[in-house]
């Protein structure tokens, strides 16, 4: 007598679940290993490889999935995946984690404060009234403009002269235009071009001389390629000029670099990043997808606009304003106190 034993086949649902789990393991593992390898190469060779320079431009976007995936793998008890994700997760936490901690600023009394606005208004931007309203709403003492166009210059002269009696404009039809609006007397104004335009002004801040650099280094991306030396040349030029200064120093502008770039390291080794000290969150200023690409409801994805200060200033506030005014950049607002006035 023959006995037949029938083995039940796994259900289609169980088979599909197994396939999805295996795909998850493969994809997450590949992501973790590739990003970890990129971080290792970054530590070993830096931006001497153009691939690393290109990756540095938006590396933090590659790190963000690890913030979600590692806790998920902890929950699923996937030990190997946890190990593979640990490097990008920890790199993000140690690099950007402090940006999400509560910020406390000591009460400093009535020390002198300077309110700054850095604003790349986009050379092709025709929303003149929106830009002017943004500047009025910010009510900064000094406004540093990048990509200043001739028609914006005419509008500023017509509508902002009473609010800002001191001005230094270098309008261009290209990306090279720079300008400054000030409530304080502008004593000196210099303008020069390397790849893009740069500006240096000296102001009389209630009897205190302050030098401000309004800079706009060129973007290193050229199509799908990366040409970091062009931006590095401009950054070196600005830092060399600043090394000869005697006044209190502020360095402001659209730097076309993220804080993972080698050029950022060179600048921040000498001057403090105001937003990094007192701002909250990632501080993304670029791009306004609605103005730049007609795509709505997407947040900006890069921090490339900065205010840096020397040791004479105490950072008190830094934030990205919510309205781009038709530009592809959101304005960056900062408040700094003068350290030497403390008792």
């Amino acid at each position: 007598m023959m006995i037949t034993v029938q083995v039940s086949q796994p259900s289609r649902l169980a088979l599909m679940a197994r396939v999805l789990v295996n795909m998850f393991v493969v994809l997450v593992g590949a992501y973790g290993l590739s990003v970890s390898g990129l971080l290792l190469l970054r530590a070993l060779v830096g931006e001497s490889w153009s691939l690393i320079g290109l990756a540095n431009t938006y590396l933090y976007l590659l790190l963000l999935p690890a913030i979600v995936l590692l806790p998920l793998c902890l929950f699923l008890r996937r030990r190997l995946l946890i190990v593979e994700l640990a490097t990008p997760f920890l790199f993000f936490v140690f690099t950007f984690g402090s940006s999400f901690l509560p910020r406390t600023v000591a009460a400093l009394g009535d020390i002198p404060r300077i309110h700054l606005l850095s604003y790349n208004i986009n050379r092709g931007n025709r929303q003149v009234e929106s830009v002017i309203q943004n500047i009025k709403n910010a009510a900064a003492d000094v406004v540093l403009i990048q990509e200043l166009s001739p028609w914006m210059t005419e509008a500023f002269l017509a509508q902002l002269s009473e609010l800002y009696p001191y001005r230094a404009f270098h309008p261009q039809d290209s990306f090279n235009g720079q300008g400054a609006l000030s409530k304080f007397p502008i004593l000196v104004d210099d303008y020069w071009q390397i790849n893009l335009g740069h500006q240096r002004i000296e102001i009389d801040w209630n009897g205190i001389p302050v030098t401000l650099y309004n800079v706009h280094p060129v973007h290193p991306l050229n199509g799908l390629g990366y040409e970091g030396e062009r931006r590095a040349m401009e950054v070196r030029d600005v830092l060399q000029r600043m090394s000869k200064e005697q006044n209190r120093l502020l360095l402001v502008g659209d730097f076309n670099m993220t804080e993972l770039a080698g050029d950022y390291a060179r600048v921040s080794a000498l001057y403090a990043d105001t937003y990094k000290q007192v701002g909250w969150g990632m501080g993304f200023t670029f791009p306004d997808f609605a103005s730049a690409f007609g795509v709505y409801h997407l947040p900006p994805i890069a921090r490339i606009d900065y205010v840096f200060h020397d040791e004479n200033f105490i950072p008190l506030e830094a934030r990205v304003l919510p309205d781009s005014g038709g530009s592809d950049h959101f304005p960056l607002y900062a408040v700094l106190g003068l350290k030497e006035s403390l008792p």
Side-chain angles (χ1 to χ4, degrees):
M1 180 178 179
M2 182 178 290
I3 301 175
T4 303
V5 178
Q6 186 174 4
V7 179
S8 62
Q9 296 296 320
S11 68
R12 181 177 297 178
L13 185 61
L15 184 60
M16 186 178 295
R18 187 180 301 174
V19 170
L20 290 175
V21 168
N22 289 338
M23 287 180 61
F24 175 82
V25 171
V26 170
L27 292 175
V28 173
Y31 160 77
L33 289 174
S34 58
V35 176
S36 296
L38 181 61
L39 291 172
L40 178 61
L41 277 175
R42 182 179 182 272
L44 292 175
V45 303
E47 291 184 350
S48 60
W49 290 10
S50 60
L51 173 64
I52 303 301
L54 179 63
N56 274 342
T57 304
Y58 293 109
L59 179 58
Y60 50 88
L61 296 179
L62 295 176
L63 301 173
L64 284 175
I67 304 304
V68 176
L69 291 172
L70 188 136
L72 178 59
C73 291
L74 283 170
F75 176 76
L76 297 174
R77 298 182 180 180
R78 293 282 175 172
R79 295 181 181 177
L80 182 58
L81 293 182
I82 293 169
V83 172
E84 293 169 344
L85 292 168
T87 298
F89 179 88
L90 293 174
F91 185 90
F92 185 91
V93 169
F94 283 109
T95 305
F96 300 105
S98 61
S99 300
F100 296 92
L101 297 176
R103 303 294 192 177
T104 57
V105 178
L108 299 176
D110 294 328
I111 68 167
R113 287 168 164 81
I114 187 167
H115 300 247
L116 298 176
L117 186 71
S118 178
Y119 196 179
N120 182 327
I121 59 176
N122 187 354
R123 62 150 184 160
N125 186 3
R126 295 284 179 172
Q127 297 185 34
V128 175
E129 296 304 322
S130 296
V131 170
I132 288 177
Q133 193 59 51
N134 272 350
I135 293 174
K136 288 181 177 180
N137 291 343
D141 298 315
V142 182
V143 181
L144 287 309
I145 300 290
Q146 301 91 46
E147 298 191 24
L148 178 64
S149 60
W151 58 88
M152 284 289 184
T153 300
E154 292 176 6
F156 290 166
L157 289 170
Q159 301 186 47
L160 292 175
S161 294
E162 185 175 348
L163 183 60
Y164 293 101
Y166 307 100
R167 299 165 299 276
F169 293 147
H170 303 275
Q172 304 281 342
D173 289 317
S174 63
F175 295 102
N176 299 325
Q178 299 286 96
L181 299 156
S182 177
K183 295 179 180 179
F184 303 105
I186 296 176
L187 307 176
V188 178
D189 170 40
D190 298 314
Y191 173 83
W192 69 99
Q193 285 183 222
I194 300 178
N195 294 300
L196 297 181
H198 305 275
Q199 183 181 23
R200 172 190 177 274
I201 64 170
E202 291 182 25
I203 64 170
D204 180 356
W205 180 25
N206 297 321
I208 301 170
V210 176
T211 298
L212 298 98
Y213 279 77
N214 176 24
V215 303
H216 191 196
V218 70
H219 203 291
L221 298 183
N222 183 13
L224 297 177
Y226 179 85
E227 298 178 2
E229 179 55 31
R230 294 195 306 155
R231 184 186 65 194
M233 178 174 61
E234 290 181 282
V235 169
R236 287 195 299 267
D237 175 78
V238 168
L239 293 179
Q240 183 178 18
R241 291 170 185 261
M242 294 181 69
S243 68
K244 302 174 183 177
E245 299 285 355
Q246 300 298 319
N247 294 339
R248 298 155 182 83
L249 285 171
L250 293 166
L251 174 59
V252 178
D254 168 13
F255 286 75
N256 279 314
M257 67 183 183
T258 68
E259 61 186 277
L260 295 177
D263 287 329
Y264 175 88
R266 282 182 273 277
V267 176
S268 60
L270 300 171
Y271 304 99
D273 180 346
T274 304
Y275 188 90
K276 193 73 174 175
Q277 291 186 320
V278 294
W280 189 90
M282 296 296 289
F284 292 157
T285 59
F286 178 84
D288 180 348
F289 281 98
S291 296
F293 307 109
V295 178
Y296 293 85
H297 311 301
L298 285 179
I301 59 172
R303 184 164 83 99
I304 61 176
D305 300 88
Y306 299 89
V307 171
F308 293 96
H309 61 271
D310 70 7
E311 69 279 359
N312 293 296
F313 293 94
I314 303 169
L316 301 175
E317 182 183 352
R319 54 189 169 90
V320 179
L321 301 188
D323 185 355
S324 72
S327 175
D328 51 351
H329 288 248
F330 290 91
L332 177 62
Y333 176 83
V335 182
L336 299 108
L338 185 62
K339 184 182 295 185
E340 292 180 8
S341 64
L342 291 173

